[in-house]
Amino acid sequence: MSLTRPAAEGPTDPPGRPARRVSMADVARRAGVSAQTVSRVSNGHPSVVGSTREQVLAAMRELGYRPNSAARALKYGQFRTIGVILFTLSSVGNSRTLEAIVDQAAEEGYAITLIPVAVPTRDGVLGAFTRLGELAVDAVIVIMEIHLLDAATVSLPAGVPVVVVDSDADDRYTVVDTDQVDGARQAVRHLLDLGHRTVWHVAGPEESFAAERRATAWRTELEGAGRVVPPLSRGDWSAESGYRAGLALAGEPDCTAVFAANDQMALGLLRAFHEKGKVVPRDVSVVGFDDIPDSGSFVPPLTTVHQDFTEVGRRCVERVVRQVRNEPVGPGTTLVPTRLVLRASTAGPPA
């Protein structure tokens, strides 16, 4: 939207006449560049040299100029806006992924329109996609379990590029995901290599794709090593659910190592073991998943699997913007690697 130029910055308008809106030509004259260069800067085009870009941006600030997004959309057929559909911001993974998407979109010159799904029901998902069709967005990133899309039998607006985050979408969409399987495998292998006979697991909710990927990898790694697979405990990602699971596991004499499907549940485990007189890692070792910023400040600091949420966000935006530009981006899944972060919550089994 163009803004009125302060009177002191431009040509004097006749008394009583509304101040003239600042034009792209005004900015070009002030910056000493062509109007085409100003247009490229306004549209976030990567071909503009950094010093020239700063020169144009400085002229825009001085004159109070803002690009007219509506006019630009009519001219170029783009709104420079990406819609993001997601179910919840309460989970660490979703909130950090969204933060990364917002940052990367800004780097590409795009704004974000958030389209939350209040309740993960068929009607809730359908309502979000209906709103999407009414909004001025060039593309959409979906942070939602794919089974919710299937259950709602939604149809995306024709011609809208889509990237799905962290879901089992096979080849129907372009998907970006953390390598859940390898992350869980690293966690289990680390505990077995320390000498533990087996590894117990506190999994996330059954409806979660990520939770099921991690639980399947846990089971497969134990079976591949010829170890007994203990009964699986089920949580809901919260520290409270990890605490409840930990109270039960503290009564299992053979439980010397636990892999929790996220760091919040691992935090609950640490509390439960402490209350039951179990010393971590002397009596029982604990590994989490996510590497949230506070995990290094747990007592003891938590060994965990690091997810690169920044890279997930970067790749989501990069792939959806390439689709907007009509560059080839096929369906299928891109996996972002994980790595095990070793801290003080793991050690060999008790003698």
Side-chain angles (χ1 to χ4, degrees):
M1 179 178 67
S2 297
L3 299 180
T4 301
R5 176 177 52 191
E9 294 292 345
T12 302
D13 294 302
R17 179 180 298 175
R20 181 171 62 84
R21 290 183 181 274
V22 177
S23 69
M24 193 176 291
D26 294 331
V27 176
R29 282 192 295 271
R30 176 62 63 91
V33 299
S34 67
Q36 184 181 31
T37 298
V38 176
S39 175
R40 287 175 176 171
V41 172
S42 297
N43 289 288
H45 200 283
S47 66
V48 182
V49 176
S51 58
T52 303
R53 183 185 304 277
E54 289 303 317
Q55 188 175 336
V56 171
L57 292 174
M60 288 180 177
R61 288 191 294 268
E62 292 171 11
L63 297 178
Y65 173 82
R66 295 292 183 273
N68 189 318
S69 57
R72 182 174 60 201
L74 288 173
K75 182 176 181 179
Y76 297 103
Q78 293 183 13
F79 297 95
R80 306 294 294 184
T81 301
I82 298 170
V84 177
I85 297 179
L86 82 169
F87 164 50
T88 177
L89 276 172
S90 62
S91 74
V92 172
N94 281 4
S95 59
R96 293 185 65 186
T97 300
L98 178 61
E99 180 182 14
I101 288 171
V102 170
D103 290 343
Q104 185 61 33
E107 289 286 328
E108 296 280 354
Y110 282 78
I112 292 296
T113 295
L114 185 61
I115 309 167
V117 178
V119 182
T121 62
R122 180 180 183 276
D123 289 343
V125 176
L126 283 172
F129 278 86
T130 298
R131 292 195 298 278
L132 171 66
E134 299 168 350
L135 296 172
V137 299
D138 301 309
V140 62
I141 296 173
V142 182
I143 308 176
M144 187 185 300
E145 302 294 345
I146 200 64
H147 70 86
L148 291 174
L149 303 184
D150 293 340
T153 60
V154 299
S155 58
L156 296 170
V160 176
V162 179
V163 169
V164 179
V165 181
D166 190 22
S167 281
D168 189 10
D170 299 320
D171 291 332
R172 287 170 287 170
Y173 304 102
T174 299
V175 179
V176 177
D177 185 26
T178 296
D179 194 339
Q180 314 284 349
V181 171
D182 188 59
R185 185 199 62 78
Q186 291 180 63
V188 175
R189 175 47 53 190
H190 167 63
L191 292 167
L192 294 180
D193 287 347
L194 287 173
H196 295 276
R197 297 178 64 184
T198 190
V199 178
W200 298 63
H201 183 45
V202 180
E206 285 185 279
E207 65 270 16
S208 167
F209 162 75
E212 289 309 290
R213 275 285 198 269
R214 295 169 198 179
T216 299
W218 158 77
R219 184 177 295 104
T220 300
E221 189 68 17
L222 288 180
E223 291 173 346
R227 308 300 176 90
V228 173
V229 179
L232 179 145
S233 301
R234 184 71 69 176
D236 60 9
W237 299 128
S238 69
E240 180 61 28
S241 68
Y243 172 72
R244 292 192 300 268
L247 293 177
L249 291 175
E252 297 285 350
D254 295 331
C255 179
T256 65
V258 184
F259 165 45
N262 77 334
D263 290 350
Q264 299 282 12
M265 292 193 297
L267 177 60
L269 284 172
L270 295 179
R271 176 192 166 196
F273 290 145
H274 172 74
E275 290 184 2
K276 290 296 185 178
K278 295 273 190 177
V279 178
V280 177
R282 186 193 68 192
D283 301 319
V284 58
S285 291
V286 177
V287 177
F289 201 111
D290 281 342
D291 193 23
I292 63 175
D294 294 336
S295 60
S297 298
F298 290 179
V299 181
L302 183 67
T303 294
T304 185
V305 177
H306 177 80
Q307 292 199 77
D308 192 343
F309 295 107
T310 299
E311 182 63 13
V312 170
R314 188 194 71 78
R315 294 195 189 191
C316 285
V317 174
E318 181 264 335
R319 276 156 178 72
V320 84
V321 168
R322 281 175 57 190
Q323 292 181 58
V324 171
R325 294 172 179 165
N326 293 318
E327 297 175 6
V329 180
T333 300
T334 298
L335 293 179
V336 176
T338 55
R339 60 183 172 84
L340 186 68
V341 180
L342 298 178
R343 297 195 180 101
S345 66
T346 52

